[in-house]
């Protein structure tokens, strides 16, 4: 069990709605003392130095075990999580076999325990048997086995009828349905977000309306089932368009029990990366918020069609990316989720249109968000809340622990240095999925230590 | 035939590799290739106007070779040119093959089927194998946009894009430009399409020919019109609004479904092939309706300027996107396009062979 003394750091406790200079003492894995400094003692401590925050929670992680251990194992995925500052990850059900019955959940839970990692693995169950979109999985049994929600992610819940049943069944257990909103009829063969970049590059367009129309469907079904099952809850994951976020904003305003998340890559990267640009979304617009022209700007520095950038939903234009950022700021988006999707080189060193969807994200999420904080697009407290209290709210009691810097509880926190940078490299990444578009890029906010449930999960050794 | 000797006397500058093997008699002294900055020809969007002009002037020299009784020079003697096509296209494949053979290259043809893509045969492996078998130049066609860019990452020689997905068909765009220069270029004015109205008519959305021509025709100064049903134009209005980088002053792009407005006073009309799949995809009601509304007929062409030129990249669906009498008519440049295709491809093979060590 860990002992740790951190004096004169910048503490962020979104649960208490507080941040500022302070000291942390961990004894035998218990957060023994949290002291907030004031006055003279606090002088010279600011949020640009050492930061201590509650351990991060990822609502959307793809671990590839069982079925595709070449891409990731539970052990390597949890190591990546710890390196990224995450102390809890929620594993999606699209393994092989899918987590559509308690046996698979038990297997994953056992593998997590066997890995020795201090990071907590929570598991989603599939909505449908084999994620086939046809037959409802054994949601009640899965709930009893401890899953934190249900998702067919990788694909949307196929039909509105199935979603209706799923919301009712999951509602009985007090668990959310986590949907990947996409109308597949509109996205057959889609390679990139419909728009100028896709047009110029000759890539098949993924229309933005394919996301909004799926969200509208989901919300309509949710509103309808609440009458029969008021505990029904919907979580929409990796929203990427202003239209979809606008629908959620309105649904929340009228009190529907819906939550949503956005990913680091959708709020900070844009489709112009496919053409070879490498600037953040907020750099891709001018002072009036109008998109800049990457071809005219001479920012196309990388080869086009990098298959690592293929992701579903696809990277969007800057206006949508900035809408994701704005949704985080105004609370429409409850959380940032990584959609960590490791793949093997075999799956990504191929033609763009044949590449597997998804990028590796656990270890770069913090750095991406801090880039937004650095330019004043995001408050540090908002970024941390999106990685802690936001996801905790989505998980509810299934998280099984308090969140925040709480004296007397097992320490669950991350310590990072805002001034220290690190260069993303294969050598530095713990994930087996080397499919990060940020390889070679310098990110701020190096994680110094991650303590999960009182145990050291990661420590920076230079 | 008015072969334009513009651009000064062709020279082979000091330090320029002379792929002709140093035999001045055997070769028509094409211009120096030292201003060319690319190791591969993947797209036309990276070409400067000076580079496009170099292609056009080199093509002049190749036309001269083609006019000889024995149209063969030793420029690429001993060079292995491998032609790797993942899509059937007799026309383009044979054009590249004839071009390479006219330059005395050793040509290897590989017809990979799209099904080998589906079977998971790695393009990267294939490209490495081809290189190991001695290929120095790789001409490839692939149904996936960007595939030649991937090949270029893994190939030590030169990659020529023979068409990728919906994205680019650089040699077609350059042969189209060359063909227009023969008719409309004065030899004095460098951006020879300035003030000319050029219409691309048909399935713009799925057309790599259209996409590549947007860059080259804009670079040459054309007043460019993209015309077709709205379902086959999605995304292009936004591109037109943003403008085309590298376009000559005064060049602009108009996107419209109004065929009469597009053809009015046009100098050039380029019709594109319509494919049957567009019906299955719900993008077109029927070929009959397309032919009736957008087919390039003599009556429609009457709206254009007298003597307006007609082009088509082939293969044609006569009676659908173009009427047979228009295709075979006196204004048609379609056979010139085919002939010039060989000359342009010879020029590009020649230029790339002289571009050792240059960047992408
Ligand atoms: Zn998803």
């Amino acid at each position: 069990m860990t002992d740790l003394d951190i004096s004169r750091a910048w503490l962020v406790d979104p649960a208490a709605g507080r941040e500022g200079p302070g000291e942390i003492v961990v004894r035998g894995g218990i957060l023994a003392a949290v002291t907030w400094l004031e006055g003279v003692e606090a002088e010279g401590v600011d949020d640009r130095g050492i930061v201590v925050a509650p351990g991060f929670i990822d609502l959307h992680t793809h671990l590839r075990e069982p079925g595709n251990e070449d891409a990731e194992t539970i052990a390597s995925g949890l190591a990546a999580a710890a390196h990224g500052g995450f102390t809890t990850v929620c594993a999606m059900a699209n393994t092989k076999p899918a987590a559509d019955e308690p046996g698979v959940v038990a297997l994953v839970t056992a593998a997590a325990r066997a890995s020795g990692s201090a990071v907590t693995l929570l598991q989603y169950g599939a909505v449908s048997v084999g994620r086939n979109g046809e037959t409802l999985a054994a949601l009640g049994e899965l709930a009893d086995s401890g899953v934190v929600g249900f998702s067919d992610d990788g694909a949307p819940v196929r039909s509105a009828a199935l979603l209706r049943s799923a919301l009712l069944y999951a509602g009985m257990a007090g668990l959310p349905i986590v949907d990947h909103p996409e109308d597949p009829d509109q996205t057959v063969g889609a390679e990139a977000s419909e728009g100028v970049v896709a047009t110029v590059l000759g890539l098949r367009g993924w229309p933005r309306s394919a996301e909004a129309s799926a969200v509208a469907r989901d919300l309509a079904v949710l509103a309808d089932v609440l009458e029969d099952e008021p505990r029904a809850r919907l979580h929409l994951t990796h929203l990427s368009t202003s239209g979809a976020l606008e629908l959620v904003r309105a649904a929340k305003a009228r009190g529907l029990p819906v939550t949503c998340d956005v990913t680091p890559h959708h709020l900070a990267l844009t489709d112009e990366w496919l053409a070879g640009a490498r600037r953040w979304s907020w750099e891709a617009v001018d002072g009036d918020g109008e998109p800049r022209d990457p071809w005219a700007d001479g920012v196309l520095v990388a080869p086009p069609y990098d298959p690592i950038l293929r992701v579903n939903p696809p990277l969007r234009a800057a206006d949508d990316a900035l809408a994701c950022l704005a949704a985080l700021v105004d609370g429409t988006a409850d959380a940032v989720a990584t959609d960590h999707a490791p793949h093997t080189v075999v799956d990504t060193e191929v033609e763009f249109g044949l590449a597997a969807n998804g990028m590796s994200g656990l270890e770069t999420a913090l750095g991406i968000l801090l880039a937004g904080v650095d330019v004043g697009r995001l408050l540090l407290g908002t970024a941390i809340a999106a990685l802690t209290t936001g996801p905790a709210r989505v998980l509810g009691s299934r998280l099984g622990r308090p969140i925040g810097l709480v004296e007397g509880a097992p320490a669950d926190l991350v310590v990072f240095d805002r001034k220290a940078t690190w260069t993303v490299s294969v050598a530095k990444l713990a994930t087996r999925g080397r499919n990060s578009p940020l390889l070679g890029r310098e990110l701020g906010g190096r994680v110094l230590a991650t303590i999960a449930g009182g145990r050291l999960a990661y420590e920076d050794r230079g | 035939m008015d072969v334009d000797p513009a651009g000064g006397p062709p020279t082979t500058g000091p330090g320029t590799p002379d792929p002709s093997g140093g035999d001045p008699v055997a070769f028509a002294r094409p211009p120096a290739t030292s201003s060319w900055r690319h190791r591969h020809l993947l797209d036309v969007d990276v070409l400067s106007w000076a580079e496009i002009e170099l292609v056009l002037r080199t093509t002049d020299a190749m036309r001269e070779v083609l006019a000889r009784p024995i149209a063969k020079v030793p420029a690429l003697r001993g060079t292995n040119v491998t032609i790797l096509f993942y899509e059937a296209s007799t026309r383009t494949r044979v054009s590249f093959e004839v071009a390479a053979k006219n330059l005395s290259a050793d040509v290897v043809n590989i017809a990979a089927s799209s099904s080998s893509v589906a079977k998971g045969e790695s393009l990267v492996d294939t490209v490495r194998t081809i290189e190991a078998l001695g290929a120095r130049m790789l001409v490839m066609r692939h149904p996936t946009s960007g595939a030649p860019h991937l090949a270029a990452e893994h190939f030590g020689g030169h990659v020529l894009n023979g068409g990728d997905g919906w994205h680019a068909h650089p040699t077609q765009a350059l042969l189209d430009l060359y063909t227009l220069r023969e008719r409309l270029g004065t030899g004095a004015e460098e951006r020879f399409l300035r003030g000319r109205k050029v219409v691309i008519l048909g399935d713009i959305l799925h057309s790599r020919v259209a996409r590549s021509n947007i860059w080259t025709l804009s670079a040459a100064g054309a007043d460019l019109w993209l015309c077709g049903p709205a379902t086959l134009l999605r995304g292009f209005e936004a591109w037109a609004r943003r403008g085309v980088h590298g376009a000559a002053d005064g060049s602009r792009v108009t996107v419209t479904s109004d065929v009469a407005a597009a053809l009015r006073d046009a100098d050039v009309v380029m019709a594109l092939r319509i494919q049957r799949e567009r019906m299955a995809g719900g993008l077109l009601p029927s070929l009959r309706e397309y032919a009736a509304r957008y087919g390039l007929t003599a009556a429609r062409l009457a709206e254009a300027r007298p003597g307006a030129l007609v082009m088509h990249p082939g293969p044609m669906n006569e009676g659908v996107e173009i009427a047979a009498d228009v295709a075979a008519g006196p204004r048609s440049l379609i056979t010139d396009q085919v002939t010039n295709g060989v000359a342009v491809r010879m020029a590009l093979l020649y230029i790339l062979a002289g571009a050792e060590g240059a960047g992408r």
Side-chain angles (χ1 to χ4, degrees), chain A residues 194 199 202 295 305 351 354, chain B residues 117 142 145 167 211 234 242:
Chain A
E194 202 169 70
T199 303
W295 282 271
Y305 302 101
E351 299 88 321
L354 301 176
Chain B
V117 177
H142 198 286
S145 296
H167 167 233
R211 278 183 182 76
R234 264 185 83 71
R242 205 211 57 198

Side-chain angles (χ1 to χ4, degrees), chain B residues 175-230:
Chain B
L175 79 87
D176 290 341
L177 193 67
Y178 183 83
T179 304
L180 288 175
R181 176 170 162 276
E182 279 189 322
R183 295 298 179 103
L184 302 176
T186 62
E189 199 181 351
E190 55 162 16
R191 311 266 184 160
F192 61 88
L193 289 178
R194 202 167 262 155
R196 304 282 193 174
K197 181 173 180 181
V198 181
V199 183
I200 306 181
L201 177 64
D203 184 359
I204 310 291
L205 176 63
H206 303 92
S207 176
R208 52 189 169 223
V209 173
R211 278 183 182 76
S212 285
N213 269 297
I214 287 172
W215 296 102
T216 50
L217 297 173
S218 297
D223 175 15
L224 186 59
W225 288 61
L226 307 177
C227 180

Side-chain angles (χ1 to χ4, degrees), chain A residues 60 62 153-155 180 237-238 312-313 339:
Chain A
H60 192 143
H62 294 278
D153 183 72
H180 159 136
T237 192
H238 56 51
N312 182 0
D339 195 2

Side-chain angles (χ1 to χ4, degrees), chain A residues 54 175 199 252 373 383 434 453:
Chain A
L175 296 177
T199 303
K252 284 185 159 187
V373 174
R434 274 72 191 267

Side-chain angles (χ1 to χ4, degrees), chain A residues 191 194-196 198-205 207 292-297 303-305 307 348-354, chain B residues 45 117 122-124 128 142-147 149-150 153-154 164 166-167 211 215 234-236 238-239 242-243 245 360:
Chain A
E191 296 166 303
E194 202 169 70
V196 175
T199 303
V200 171
L201 295 183
L203 294 172
R204 288 154 206 268
R292 298 176 192 271
D293 179 351
W295 282 271
D297 283 2
Y305 302 101
T348 50
E349 198 179 73
V350 295
E351 299 88 321
F352 187 87
L354 301 176
Chain B
D45 64 352
V117 177
S122 156
L123 175 65
V124 173
R128 286 185 180 140
H142 198 286
T144 307
S145 296
H149 293 76
L150 178 72
E153 298 282 306
H154 298 276
D164 63 321
W166 304 350
H167 167 233
R211 278 183 182 76
W215 296 102
R234 264 185 83 71
F236 284 83
W239 187 359
R242 205 211 57 198
H245 179 56
R360 168 182 292 274

